[in-house]
Amino acid sequence: MVKKKGTALQPAEFKNTTLSRLGSADRFFRTTSFKLALAYVVIVGVGFTLALSRVGENVRELIDQQIGQTLEAELKGLNDQYQEGGLAQLVNVVQRRSAAPGASIYLVTAPNGVAVAGNVQELPPGVLDQAPPAAVAIRYERPGEPNVRRRALARVFVLPGNFRLLVGYDLEDRERLGSILGSALMGSLPWLLSIGAFGGFLVARRLLQRVDAMSAKAATLLQADLTGRLPLSGAGDEIDRLAHNLNAMLDRIARLVEGIKQVSDNIAHDLRTPLTRLRNNAEQALFASDGDQPGRPAALEHALEKVIEEADGLIRIFNALLLIARAEASTSSSEGFDELDGAALAADVAELYEPSAEERGVTLKVEAPAPEKFRGHRELVSQALANLIDNALKYGEPALPGQVGEVTVAVGGDARFIEIVVGDRGPGIPAADRERVLERFVRLEASRSRPGSGLGLSLAAAVARLHGGNLRVEDNAPGLKVTLRLPREVAQ
């Protein structure tokens, strides 16, 4: 039902709305962002208080030091007056200074403690018996301010004949400064905490919105929608870096899921033909074994050989799939990696294919002028290189009659990477299909009449990715050039 403007909420609706708001507020107060903001406000408040208190202490220490120096100078000057003219001259100087505007505190006492000169009206007991400076409450008279009682820093000097001279300095300015600093602290601290709390609230709210957006997107990904990605704000901060890494992880998961789907589809389509041939050959063997007609043992033997050949082909396909899965499921850790020589490895693998090359009338050359050291998985790199050479021998026959086939395995690189390049002089691969041939079970129309499973380049590419490198398919003008590029040091 649509509510009219100004219509009050019903009790149940009001309750649900209130609970929703309270739940949202409670969720906000329980977030890490709010706790960090609150901790930031508390730390700033405590730090500000300690800093201002330390400033006040330093200022008071400086003032006390200056007062002490002033008292020492006063006492020295009055002592000089006493040495020059005796007690009478000291009394006259003290009386004159006591009557001056803004005068300090002066007192000259007789041995029995009776005041002889000065502006002090009352002293706490025992003050005249102390030697070091001390802050005491003294009642004294000053022009314009009769009979005031304030705290003062006083110093007592004993004169010959047990006369005593007291000089003091009013601490009103120091106490006023302390009061000002205290007022500043109490007045500015609430503002500081309020501004910090407001800023922390905004920061926490902003972070919470970004985290909520990521959480909502992740919830959709949990529903098997792997096409979406976590949003990036463009700030380049920690949350953006986290989202970027999570998106990279999702990309890899999506590629793996897509790879599994493609493998399932390809197995269903591409393995159906060899399985059908295997069944037909087994059926022929069964028919050949039935009856006593001449020639049946030879026919049976031929049919069984074809069954074994097809079974071997299927085993090779599954072995290649297992190697690809092993390479793609592994990480670029150093487990199983050894120090290898790319030149020696290329020579060893090429040597295995020399008989096959001679059989096809193809020249197989290895160009490796110097050792090329790198860290890699010997078995997987050897298998990848074997696949590249085998593909070059199968599909690299010259396009024109009379031309001599040639397959070249060149090993080189730079300071960071080693490159093993396998080139032939065959018809090559069109530019539009060079990325597609790296997928599993992909065979171009021109090669469907030749034996193979379409897994050779896919395995080589998976091995390159495992090592942190790549596989490039390029034009050899004429022919095809495939470059296996691997880092010399494996990233930890």
Side-chain angles (χ1 to χ4, degrees), residues 392 395-399 403-408 423-428 476-480:
Y395 310 115
E397 297 179 358
Q403 290 183 342
V404 178
E406 180 181 277
V407 173
T408 304
D424 60 58
R425 295 297 178 181
N476 201 27
L480 186 68

Side-chain angles (χ1 to χ4, degrees), residues 284-356:
Q284 289 178 9
L286 178 63
F287 290 155
S289 64
D290 186 15
D292 298 327
Q293 296 181 9
R296 286 195 181 275
L300 175 61
E301 181 180 357
H302 178 69
L304 290 176
E305 287 177 353
K306 294 179 68 176
V307 169
I308 294 174
E309 181 181 351
E310 293 293 342
D312 289 340
L314 288 173
I315 291 174
R316 284 194 297 272
I317 290 176
F318 281 108
N319 285 338
L321 288 173
L322 288 175
L323 282 174
I324 294 173
R326 176 184 174 187
E328 291 184 342
S330 301
T331 61
S332 57
S333 65
S334 58
E335 182 180 357
F337 284 59
D338 300 314
E339 187 77 20
L340 304 178
D341 181 4
L345 192 66
D348 292 342
V349 177
E351 185 178 356
L352 296 176
Y353 282 89
E354 283 181 356
S356 178

Side-chain angles (χ1 to χ4, degrees), residues 61-130:
E61 290 176 2
L62 179 61
I63 293 175
D64 289 347
Q65 183 180 2
Q66 292 176 346
I67 292 174
Q69 294 174 355
T70 302
L71 291 178
E72 291 295 332
E74 289 264 12
L75 285 172
K76 185 177 182 301
L78 292 175
N79 184 55
D80 292 341
Q81 294 291 333
Y82 179 80
Q83 295 294 335
E84 180 181 345
L87 183 62
Q89 184 171 338
L90 175 62
V91 169
N92 290 332
V93 173
V94 168
Q95 292 288 20
R96 187 171 62 252
R97 292 186 179 182
S98 299
S104 296
I105 301 172
Y106 300 98
L107 177 63
V108 179
T109 64
N112 59 0
V114 177
V116 177
N119 55 3
V120 175
Q121 300 295 318
E122 181 183 348
L123 277 177
V127 173
L128 294 175
D129 297 328
Q130 65 185 14

Side-chain angles (χ1 to χ4, degrees), residues 11-78:
E13 296 173 344
F14 176 77
K15 180 180 179 181
N16 293 336
T17 304
T18 304
L19 289 177
S20 176
R21 291 175 180 174
L22 289 176
S24 177
D26 181 64
R27 185 170 65 90
F28 173 77
F29 290 131
R30 287 188 286 108
T31 60
T32 302
S33 300
F34 173 77
K35 294 176 182 177
L36 289 176
L38 182 61
Y40 170 78
V41 170
V42 172
I43 291 173
V44 170
V46 173
F48 177 76
T49 303
L50 293 177
L52 197 59
S53 300
R54 184 57 184 166
V55 169
E57 290 177 3
N58 291 337
V59 170
R60 283 193 295 270
E61 290 176 2
L62 179 61
I63 293 175
D64 289 347
Q65 183 180 2
Q66 292 176 346
I67 292 174
Q69 294 174 355
T70 302
L71 291 178
E72 291 295 332
E74 289 264 12
L75 285 172
K76 185 177 182 301
L78 292 175

Side-chain angles (χ1 to χ4, degrees), residues 196-216:
F198 182 71
F201 172 80
L202 293 181
V203 172
R205 182 180 180 185
R206 171 62 178 163
L207 291 177
L208 184 60
Q209 289 175 346
R210 293 177 62 186
V211 172
D212 283 344
M214 294 175 61
S215 178

Side-chain angles (χ1 to χ4, degrees), residues 206-242:
R206 171 62 178 163
L207 291 177
L208 184 60
Q209 289 175 346
R210 293 177 62 186
V211 172
D212 283 344
M214 294 175 61
S215 178
K217 195 63 179 179
T220 62
L221 297 177
L222 292 176
Q223 300 174 1
D225 180 17
L226 296 179
T227 59
R229 292 296 177 265
L230 300 178
L232 300 176
S233 67
D237 55 7
E238 293 82 358
I239 295 181
D240 266 9
R241 290 198 294 271
L242 174 62

